[in-house]
Amino acid sequence: MIRVLVSPSNVEEALECIRGGAEIIDVKNPREGSLGANFPWVIKEITKLAKSYGKDVSATIGDLDKAGTASLASYGVASLGVDYVKVGLFAGKIESVLEILKCVTKAVKEFDIKVVAASYADWIRAKTFSPLKLPEVASDADADGVMIDTAIKDGRSTFEFMSFEDLAEFIDRAHENGMFCALAGGLNWNHIDLIKKLKPDIIGVRTMVCKDGRNSKICSELVQKLVTEINR
């Protein structure tokens, strides 16, 4: 079964996600980047709401390239009671990626929380690193899961930057290293069959279930349609 993660930016949208049947409520701020961090009070309020419905909650801490910033941000998010913390690895060197992830996992070890390491399918234009290097590095840092997203939100999807074979390899490597795998990045309705064939553990969306683009409002009917299609 593929779990559906939807990324609301406020409580109103979170309720739409819950009504639509999303399994994971992923708090982010799309105005501050691919994995833009939201405000502590927003995360806290959405977490309280989602937990009352028995939903898992994740929160993004930004597109980051500094270990100190990432570890402090992850500690703050972990203290708010979420189940997952997602860190966007906006570093160009794999050594920096490992340092960031080790500091994040160390920062949150006292909490019951999972660390998700996010890389970018459009890594060449974003000047980061190849996602295919992430599973082993994330495993070395004791992360719980890995993710592929897109860094630049201009309507282009992960499937435009990575082949089906590369995505399948990424997922397989994650599983071989004992981690779950999430797929995101401009996914749309035309990708449903490809997603089902790839079988990631989680898919992450926002634009796909918004009424009119990434910065408009999430619609519960579209969330419900996605959940139904993915599990059909």
Side-chain angles (χ1 to χ4, degrees):
M1 180 178 175
I2 300 173
R3 302 182 76 196
V4 174
L5 173 153
V6 186
S7 302
S9 60
N10 54 51
V11 173
E12 181 184 357
E13 286 192 331
L15 192 56
E16 290 293 300
C17 297
I18 292 166
R19 287 171 175 164
E23 285 93 354
I24 304 172
I25 310 303
D26 174 57
V27 192
K28 71 164 56 174
N29 181 358
R31 297 183 184 278
E32 293 195 2
S34 175
L35 284 93
N38 214 316
F39 303 100
W41 48 90
V42 175
I43 297 171
K44 190 173 183 178
E45 192 173 4
I46 291 178
T47 299
K48 182 179 179 181
L49 172 68
K51 292 292 186 180
S52 71
Y53 285 89
K55 300 293 184 178
D56 284 347
V57 182
S58 68
T60 57
I61 60 171
D63 303 291
L64 303 173
D65 63 352
K66 294 179 175 62
T69 302
S71 60
L72 182 60
S74 61
Y75 183 88
V77 166
S79 69
L80 298 174
V82 302
D83 302 286
Y84 304 85
V85 58
K86 285 166 52 184
V87 53
L89 297 161
F90 212 74
K93 295 181 178 179
I94 205 67
E95 295 82 5
S96 298
V97 172
L98 180 59
E99 181 188 12
I100 291 168
L101 285 176
K102 282 186 173 181
C103 289
V104 167
T105 55
K106 182 177 181 179
V108 303
K109 65 180 180 180
E110 66 186 83
F111 301 95
D112 183 19
I113 190 172
K114 293 179 174 62
V115 173
V116 183
S119 56
Y120 306 97
D122 53 342
W123 63 279
I124 294 176
R125 65 173 182 169
K127 297 181 174 60
T128 58
F129 65 97
S130 170
L132 294 178
K133 295 180 179 180
L134 182 59
E136 285 74 21
V137 173
S139 177
D140 288 344
D142 292 326
D144 301 281
V146 291
M147 181 177 192
I148 289 182
D149 204 331
T150 48
I152 300 170
K153 299 297 183 180
D154 59 358
R156 300 180 71 184
S157 79
T158 288
F159 287 100
E160 294 182 60
F161 299 101
M162 294 183 70
S163 67
F164 182 92
E165 290 74 19
D166 280 347
L167 290 170
E169 181 181 346
F170 181 85
I171 294 168
D172 287 343
R173 285 187 185 179
H175 291 161
E176 288 167 3
N177 281 279
M179 296 177 293
F180 60 83
C181 183
L183 182 63
L187 304 181
N188 62 51
W189 301 103
N190 294 325
H191 299 139
I192 296 292
D193 288 341
L194 288 173
I195 292 167
K196 287 183 177 182
K197 290 177 182 177
L198 285 168
K199 296 180 181 178
D201 302 289
I202 299 168
I203 62 162
V205 302
R206 177 175 171 85
T207 305
M208 189 176 181
V209 294
C210 285
K211 292 181 180 179
D212 187 26
R214 176 176 168 82
N215 292 317
S216 64
K217 292 182 179 179
I218 290 173
C219 172
S220 62
E221 288 83 2
L222 291 175
V223 176
Q224 185 176 36
K225 178 184 175 182
L226 174 60
V227 172
T228 300
E229 289 293 323
I230 283 293
N231 293 298
R232 189 184 297 279

